[in-house]
Amino acid sequence: MVGLNLSAVSDDDDDTGPDDHPVLSAAAVAAASRSTLRPPSLQTLLEDMPDSATVPHTSSSGGDSEGKSKSADKSSRSRKLKHDVIEAVNELIQDIDTCHEQITEQAVEHIHHNEVILTLGSSRTVLQFLCAAREKKRSFRVFVAEGAPRYQGHLLAKELVARGLQTTLITDLAVFAMISQVNMVIVGAHAVMANGGVIAPVGLNMVALAAKRHAVPFVVLAGSHNLCPLYPHNPEVLLNELRSPKELLDFGEFSDCMDFRSGLGSPLLHVVNPSFDYVPPKLVSLFITDTGGHNPSYMYRLIADYYSADDLVLQRKAVPSN
Amino acid sequence: MEPRRNLRTVIDPKVRKVGFFAPPDRSQSGPADPISAASAVQASSSSPSGNTLSPVMIPPPRHHSDSLVHPQPSSRPVLHSAIPSSYTAASEFSPTAASSYTSGSRFPVDVEDGPFSPSRLAKGTSVKVLASSVPNVSLVTKPSNMAASDRSGRMKMNEMVAPGVEVQNELHGNTKLSKDKLSKAERRALQESQRAAKAAARVEASKGSAGTFGTAPAKAAKAASRKSDNASVAASEKKVGDRPVEKERKKDVPQPRMQYDDTSRVEKAKRRAVVKQTEARNRVELFRHLPQYEHGSQLPDLVAKFFQLEPMHPAVYKIGSIIFSVIIIHMVGLHYLSGDISGGNARCIAMLQAFQEVIKDYSTPPEKTLSRDLTAKISSYVSFFTECRPLSVSMGNAIRFLKSRIAKLPLTMSESEAKTILQSDIDHFINEKIVVADKVIVSHAVTKIRDGDVLLTYVTSSAVEMILQHAYELGKQFRVVVVDSRPKLEGQFLLRRLVAKGISCTYIHINAVSYIMHEVTRVFLGASAVLSNGTIYSRVGTACVAMVAHAFQVPVLVCCEAYKFHERVQLDSICSNELGM
């Protein structure tokens, strides 16, 4: 399960559907053979289990498959199910590991000589993408925005320099100033929503707006594991993660000027430190995934490929008491 | 605005009005190319006739050279080292090291705008320098050069620095500035040399210049040495466009600012530089047209200079009061350099008050007119400030105003009267253009704040801060979102002051502005300058905030005093900027 940490994704990453494990049960096999286009959903498969009590299908992805075999009697089916689920998860891990290669193969098509690329923060996908283009002897320059408050851009800049790319490190504020000199913006994504919107590290909405204003292509690199079938309603709040404010202000730094005797309910000073930004699909020019390049409006199709319709809504099924 | 009107008026028949002329005009004229150009700029402000030269005007170099220094082709260049750089923070070398500072430090001469430099260089000798060239006779002509420097843009005034210097130039027959632009550094260098030569002879003459740019006594070698040193003060890290607080002063129009990728001009400027500037280790190619130096390394030099004032000119025994003003000037410069004083209004007020001290302590040397000499002195100080930190638009406009005031003084006025008038003029300027203007801005802006508003502000702006405090005092209920930025994190100072006052605030980093914008009702921004095509010149990151606000349909209000308006235009942030420390 260590591999799953790579995605760093919330648990809305559903089970990708054991499309390669058609043999779970006779019914499943039949169903699979009937609908080769639509992989059988895990829910369907698991529903076929006669003793469903033993397998509480919470439909949570990548759940510990051991938990599923609580039944006292280790029926062969549960063992098989366990085995299949574990295999599916392993394959997911492998997908995540290898998605980079397929994405970086497309780097050559997009990055050309004497181009200027802008990126923000640090993403392994972006790093490998740029290095792949570099290996093909394309010479280009990179502007890296540091990505406060975590300043991961510094790490990316060091890596790029180590690989021989001409890099310039800029602050996030200077993005608008530099965007007129940039040919393309390439960023990685935390998650891609069903409408083509992107949950990206904080600050990328600003970059996307600037790119749109200056007609600079905004390219998002996303592996298929980043796909999320949800539609973002109010994504800034619901799909965001607020980090500790100490990255912006030290605790106690402002205690000298704040009046704690006032006894008011609301404190005088709020510090907000979100870690993600939502980029609407109209600001994104292109998605590069391991299946090729796509338009934002096409992303919903990919979700249909990777997710079964039944699995879109996470529900906990009531386990019949035994 | 008054200064702007002056631009168009023809003041000196000898001097061609710069108006919106292209710089080439200047360069072509006159033998002393760069220098004259510089002087032209400066000269415009202070025409020899001392009439109402609009500071902006740039007398054609030809005129100057003719009048002034025919005899000495060589000397001038130093004198006229334009200060141009000081204003245009980006384009020129930051400090125009006109005068040679004590031996070592030479500020890179910012030298004027790009276009000029090449032309200037071509011209070679700074005949234009005029002032410097003719030791005795040229003193009069010098003022013309100085006039030019009035406008912040044209710091060519440096040349004018001291008539005495010029005299010395003659003595030395400096040829150094064969082609350089009149940069302050060069002038200072010239001064230095001159001063050394006549240190014993003239106490008074060198008083001002010596004090300010007290440099090595061995002036003779200065000229040569000036050229050689290119002290590099690394002002900017390799970060690109970090802090554009640019307050550049475009020299009145056409003068394009100096572009640093023009190596010939750069070399000239460096030779004239008073303060050695360390070049940044990693030059960013995109900003080749801007000076990239390391700040900070200047500091020890400046401090050393500061304390070398006395020993530098043993022959010059200044009265304590005179030294005091020089001390003030240096202190202000150091504050700029270290960042203690920042912000358009603060820097302008500090500079004007320092100039008040200078005027108070000033006494006209014999055989010189107050207007010219004082203007020269002011120019030299301005070039010093430029070396510390490129001038802002507000400072430039204030300098322009001051120089025009000096130039307008009737020659028959007594010295004490003139000094009093000038000091009260400065007081009026500060009061009208800054204090009262801010009050008016605040009273207008608080009407735009309603109860329940959530106001977003970016980093520190004195005008916006006053608005918020005043609105709070009026009892309006609102919240403030303070957006901070790297690397200076100046928003924390504003935050501290607001929270101490009791305003409830939210503090975010610039990256989170998209997150917070959906609950913001108004955005208040400050400006460093407003350009004539309507664009706002302000701290880096302001454009990002405005763009995100626009995307969320939040109204954006910009608060800026009228004296910060400038007539140049700019398309993006790369054209001209101030690379930060």
Side-chain angles (χ1 to χ4, degrees):
Chain A
M1 297 305 177
V2 173
L4 275 182
N5 295 339
L6 285 178
S7 62
V9 151
S10 56
D11 48 7
D12 53 354
D13 194 53
D14 260 6
D15 181 29
T16 54
D19 40 349
D20 34 15
H21 299 290
V23 186
L24 266 181
S25 67
V29 172
S33 59
R34 254 174 301 168
S35 60
T36 47
L37 291 178
R38 187 171 275 265
S41 67
L42 181 61
Q43 191 168 350
T44 318
L45 291 170
L46 296 176
E47 268 172 6
D48 291 341
M49 301 304 298
D51 36 332
S52 55
T54 63
V55 191
H57 303 290
T58 58
S59 307
S60 65
S61 68
D64 195 348
S65 58
E66 269 74 34
K68 295 194 172 34
S69 59
K70 271 194 251 166
S71 62
D73 66 279
K74 301 186 180 174
S75 64
S76 63
R77 272 200 207 142
S78 67
R79 216 177 300 134
K80 198 176 212 183
L81 177 67
K82 225 195 321 182
H83 167 80
D84 287 331
V85 170
I86 291 177
E87 266 199 53
V89 170
N90 281 338
E91 207 172 281
L92 182 61
I93 295 172
Q94 197 153 23
D95 271 350
I96 296 171
D97 281 335
T98 57
C99 73
H100 293 295
E101 289 152 16
Q102 282 156 327
I103 292 177
T104 56
E105 278 168 10
Q106 306 169 50
V108 192
E109 299 168 9
H110 298 284
I111 303 181
H112 307 100
H113 264 296
N114 294 335
E115 279 205 339
V116 180
I117 312 281
L118 175 75
T119 185
L120 187 142
S122 171
S123 158
R124 192 155 69 107
T125 321
V126 171
L127 173 66
Q128 296 192 356
F129 194 82
L130 297 176
C131 296
R134 179 89 177 94
E135 278 156 25
K136 300 287 194 303
K137 308 294 182 237
R138 300 268 167 99
S139 73
F140 55 96
R141 294 191 286 135
V142 182
F143 287 155
V144 179
E146 58 182 4
R150 297 177 70 194
Y151 304 117
Q152 287 183 335
H154 293 251
L155 304 172
L156 179 67
K158 278 197 199 134
E159 299 256 333
L160 289 175
V161 168
R163 286 175 168 77
L165 274 175
Q166 190 182 349
T167 314
T168 306
L169 186 65
I170 61 176
T171 52
D172 310 320
L173 325 159
V175 165
F176 190 87
M178 307 304 300
I179 196 90
S180 53
Q181 314 282 328
V182 167
N183 293 119
M184 194 186 315
V185 180
I186 300 182
V187 295
H190 176 79
V192 178
M193 313 305 293
N195 65 341
V198 181
I199 304 287
V202 68
L204 275 174
N205 191 29
M206 210 167 59
V207 177
L209 285 170
K212 184 80 174 185
R213 165 87 170 66
H214 292 264
V216 173
F218 189 84
V219 174
V220 177
L221 308 180
S224 55
H225 62 91
N226 279 333
L227 288 174
C228 171
L230 298 180
Y231 185 87
H233 298 283
N234 200 4
E236 286 95 354
V237 176
L238 296 182
L239 297 176
N240 214 331
E241 183 187 319
L242 294 179
R243 306 170 60 88
S244 163
K246 75 168 173 56
E247 289 172 0
L248 300 185
L249 282 183
D250 289 331
F251 290 128
E253 187 176 321
F254 275 73
S255 54
D256 55 337
C257 60
M258 287 183 54
D259 182 13
F260 293 108
R261 292 170 290 125
S262 62
L264 291 174
S266 60
L268 274 183
L269 183 60
H270 293 263
V271 179
V272 181
N273 187 10
S275 63
F276 294 120
D277 240 356
Y278 173 70
V279 181
K282 63 181 194 295
L283 298 179
V284 179
S285 310
L286 185 69
F287 278 101
I288 296 184
T289 68
D290 45 356
T291 51
H294 300 292
N295 217 32
S297 51
Y298 186 77
M299 297 313 280
Y300 76 99
R301 290 296 307 273
L302 294 182
I303 290 171
D305 284 344
Y306 291 111
Y307 289 87
S308 166
D310 298 331
D311 290 333
L312 292 183
V313 178
L314 303 180
Q315 269 176 6
R316 175 176 289 267
K317 292 187 75 91
V319 177
S321 58
N322 38 335
Chain B
M1 285 193 277
E2 189 185 350
R4 285 171 101 187
R5 257 177 264 128
N6 289 345
L7 290 180
R8 319 261 200 261
T9 54
V10 182
I11 298 184
D12 190 355
K14 259 197 327 184
V15 177
R16 251 194 310 145
K17 254 184 293 236
V18 177
F20 291 91
F21 284 20
D25 296 352
R26 281 190 281 154
S27 45
Q28 289 146 15
S29 53
D33 33 321
I35 306 196
S36 44
S39 52
V41 178
Q42 300 160 343
S44 57
S45 34
S46 56
S47 58
S49 50
N51 42 18
T52 58
L53 246 192
S54 116
V56 203
M57 305 225 313
I58 302 176
R62 193 173 305 122
H63 297 193
H64 295 282
S65 50
D66 298 341
S67 52
L68 297 177
V69 224
H70 278 300
Q72 315 158 303
S74 50
S75 46
R76 297 120 349 114
V78 177
L79 295 181
H80 291 283
S81 44
I83 307 184
S85 53
S86 43
Y87 289 106
T88 52
S91 55
E92 312 189 3
F93 294 100
S94 41
T96 51
S99 52
S100 46
Y101 275 65
T102 53
S103 45
S105 50
R106 300 237 186 229
F107 289 89
V109 179
D110 265 346
V111 198
E112 45 263 334
D113 339 305
F116 281 104
S117 41
S119 55
R120 303 246 181 92
L121 298 179
K123 305 275 167 73
T125 59
S126 43
V127 178
K128 302 296 178 109
V129 177
L130 308 173
S132 48
S133 52
V134 181
N136 309 313
V137 183
S138 59
L139 291 183
V140 177
T141 54
K142 225 177 185 336
S144 58
N145 297 329
M146 298 211 256
S149 48
D150 272 351
R151 294 304 168 176
S152 49
R154 328 252 179 153
M155 294 294 235
K156 318 267 175 126
M157 295 290 269
N158 289 328
E159 313 265 69
M160 315 226 317
V161 179
V165 179
E166 302 176 304
V167 177
Q168 291 173 346
N169 281 344
E170 290 308 318
L171 304 178
H172 299 105
N174 304 336
T175 44
K176 351 174 209 324
L177 303 174
S178 50
K179 19 176 189 197
D180 33 52
K181 341 166 181 227
L182 310 171
S183 61
K184 282 199 186 147
E186 298 199 7
R187 276 192 292 167
R188 290 206 203 111
L190 270 181
Q191 290 173 12
E192 290 302 333
S193 50
Q194 291 176 352
R195 211 173 299 132
K198 46 187 239 178
R202 307 183 131 229
V203 175
E204 269 188 327
S206 48
K207 181 168 46 169
S209 45
T212 332
F213 310 96
T215 49
K219 311 302 186 346
K222 280 296 167 35
S225 57
R226 254 183 330 104
K227 299 215 176 201
S228 50
D229 62 42
N230 295 325
S232 42
V233 181
S236 69
E237 331 112 297
K238 50 193 156 166
K239 295 273 209 117
V240 160
D242 245 71
R243 306 201 24 218
V245 179
E246 325 204 343
K247 306 179 182 199
E248 301 183 324
R249 292 230 38 180
K250 189 134 172 125
K251 295 167 219 166
D252 224 17
V253 178
Q255 261 215 29
R257 286 177 301 273
M258 170 150 138
Q259 307 291 322
Y260 281 90
D261 47 358
D262 193 337
T263 44
S264 53
R265 274 192 73 175
V266 167
E267 284 311 309
K268 280 192 187 240
K270 280 190 183 163
R271 269 175 273 137
R272 275 185 246 127
V274 176
V275 170
K276 283 199 187 314
Q277 292 270 17
T278 345
E279 295 245 337
R281 279 182 303 272
N282 299 321
R283 290 177 64 95
V284 181
E285 278 310 303
L286 182 64
F287 284 105
R288 284 177 59 222
H289 63 284
L290 304 175
Q292 297 181 40
Y293 300 107
E294 278 174 31
H295 272 182
S297 59
Q298 261 175 344
L299 212 44
D301 281 345
L302 285 181
V303 173
K305 275 200 209 78
F306 180 68
F307 288 109
Q308 275 167 0
L309 288 180
E310 301 318 307
M312 272 309 152
H313 303 279
V316 178
Y317 297 105
K318 304 179 182 70
I319 313 174
S321 63
I322 293 169
I323 301 176
F324 177 67
S325 65
V326 173
I327 291 176
I328 296 285
I329 292 280
H330 273 72
M331 288 302 296
V332 173
L334 286 177
H335 276 305
Y336 287 163
L337 184 61
S338 64
D340 285 342
I341 299 183
S342 75
N345 285 343
R347 286 168 70 190
C348 186
I349 291 177
M351 181 188 71
L352 285 177
Q353 287 175 342
F355 282 162
Q356 270 185 327
E357 285 296 326
V358 169
I359 290 174
K360 202 191 313 181
D361 296 341
Y362 176 76
S363 61
T364 319
E367 300 166 14
K368 299 203 180 96
T369 61
L370 175 130
S371 60
R372 298 209 190 98
D373 185 46
L374 184 59
T375 321
K377 200 184 246 210
I378 299 280
S379 308
S380 63
Y381 289 143
V382 172
S383 63
F384 169 72
F385 285 147
T386 314
E387 290 173 10
C388 298
R389 186 169 162 193
L391 290 191
S392 64
V393 171
S394 57
M395 291 165 72
N397 280 340
I399 292 171
R400 214 194 279 200
F401 159 83
L402 180 62
K403 286 190 178 164
S404 73
R405 277 278 186 265
I406 296 176
K408 282 198 191 116
L409 290 176
L411 292 173
T412 54
M413 192 174 280
S414 77
E415 183 179 318
S416 58
E417 261 184 61
K419 281 161 61 163
T420 336
I421 288 184
L422 283 178
Q423 286 183 47
S424 70
D425 275 347
I426 291 182
D427 278 335
H428 277 247
F429 182 87
I430 292 180
N431 195 37
E432 285 171 13
K433 301 274 168 71
I434 303 180
V435 175
V436 174
D438 277 340
K439 289 206 180 86
V440 174
I441 289 177
V442 166
S443 64
H444 274 298
V446 292
T447 61
K448 310 273 189 273
I449 302 178
R450 301 168 301 193
D451 281 346
D453 260 354
V454 180
L455 310 175
L456 184 134
T457 179
Y458 179 67
V459 193
T460 50
S461 159
S462 55
V464 173
E465 193 177 336
M466 282 194 273
I467 291 171
L468 295 175
Q469 287 175 346
H470 192 243
Y472 185 74
E473 280 158 19
L474 288 182
K476 301 203 184 223
Q477 304 293 321
F478 60 93
R479 260 198 315 129
V480 176
V481 178
V482 177
V483 180
D484 204 358
S485 73
R486 279 249 307 158
K488 293 219 160 178
L489 293 176
E490 285 166 336
Q492 294 188 3
F493 300 122
L494 173 68
L495 182 67
R496 191 173 286 275
R497 288 193 287 268
L498 291 178
V499 170
K501 212 165 158 60
I503 304 176
S504 95
C505 303
T506 304
Y507 177 75
I508 63 167
H509 201 273
I510 182 85
N511 278 342
V513 70
S514 311
Y515 175 86
I516 209 85
M517 192 56 78
H518 65 268
E519 58 185 53
V520 171
T521 56
R522 296 243 192 293
V523 175
F524 278 87
L525 299 175
S528 164
V530 176
L531 306 180
S532 75
N533 61 338
T535 54
I536 306 291
Y537 196 75
S538 180
R539 182 61 55 95
V540 63
T542 310
C544 287
V545 172
M547 176 183 65
V548 176
H550 181 70
F552 283 82
Q553 278 104 38
V554 174
V556 177
L557 291 86
V558 176
C559 312
C560 176
E561 296 88 357
Y563 82 108
K564 289 181 182 165
F565 284 29
H566 201 280
E567 62 267 359
R568 75 175 154 98
V569 295
Q570 191 171 338
L571 277 181
D572 60 16
S573 313
I574 314 289
C575 308
S576 71
N577 213 317
E578 177 187 337
L579 295 180
M581 334 170 189

